[in-house]
Amino acid sequence: MQRLCPVCHLELQETQLYLQTVDRCSQCNGIYFDTGELESIVKIVDIFNHIHLSEDDIDPISAIEKKRILKCPQDQSIMIKEEIGEDIVIDLCEQCQGIWLDDHEITALKRIETHISNYLNLYIKLGS
């Protein structure tokens, strides 16, 4: 089945990234990850998201991003938006668990993963 970029609507091309085969758009450089392809990043960010710091909740998703509706390249379901940190909003498919990352987001997620790994004990203490 042909997978289309949810942003540009061009056919995604298979490419190697971090020793995995992923689908990338040749125009916008967005990347689609099938379920399980971002496991290490997703797990550590999930741990971070479950730590509740005593701060007022601020809606991190901009009005422009909220209006941008993307369809999953795998099954064409409407993807939901999830804030990961540092102004990163990823698009998730609730049906197949695929993840769409815009061009800059994979680098930002790797930075967050490194930061959280280095300071996880501090976040756990703050969240207690």
Side-chain angles (χ1 to χ4, degrees), residues 3 21-23 32-38 74 96-99:
R3 291 182 173 184
T21 301
V22 296
D23 299 298
Y32 178 73
F33 294 87
D34 290 305
T35 185
E37 289 181 333
L38 275 176
Q74 174 65 27
C96 72
Q97 304 303 306
I99 299 172

Side-chain angles (χ1 to χ4, degrees), residues 55-125:
E55 295 180 2
D56 293 335
D57 285 337
I58 299 170
D59 189 358
I61 304 174
S62 71
I64 293 170
E65 184 66 31
K66 284 182 183 179
K67 290 179 184 179
R68 190 175 86 138
I69 306 298
L70 300 183
K71 290 185 178 180
C72 175
Q74 174 65 27
D75 59 30
Q76 299 301 302
S77 298
I78 301 296
M79 300 183 91
I80 62 167
K81 306 210 176 290
E82 184 170 319
E83 188 265 340
I84 298 296
E86 291 188 27
D87 299 324
I88 301 170
V89 178
I90 63 173
D91 298 280
L92 303 170
C93 178
E94 291 183 299
Q95 299 300 313
C96 72
Q97 304 303 306
I99 299 172
W100 176 259
L101 298 180
D102 292 315
D103 185 27
H104 65 284
E105 293 171 336
I106 187 70
T107 304
L109 281 175
K110 288 301 279 181
R111 272 195 337 264
I112 290 172
E113 177 190 33
T114 300
H115 175 81
I116 292 171
S117 294
N118 291 337
Y119 297 102
L120 187 58
N121 288 334
L122 174 62
Y123 285 118
I124 291 170
K125 287 178 186 176

Side-chain angles (χ1 to χ4, degrees), residues 4-31:
L4 299 178
C5 172
V7 177
C8 304
H9 308 289
L10 298 175
E11 186 174 355
L12 296 174
Q13 306 298 314
E14 286 189 350
T15 187
Q16 291 293 311
L17 180 69
Y18 299 111
L19 303 176
Q20 295 181 40
T21 301
V22 296
D23 299 298
R24 176 172 247 153
C25 177
S26 61
Q27 184 168 321
C28 72
N29 287 318
I31 307 167

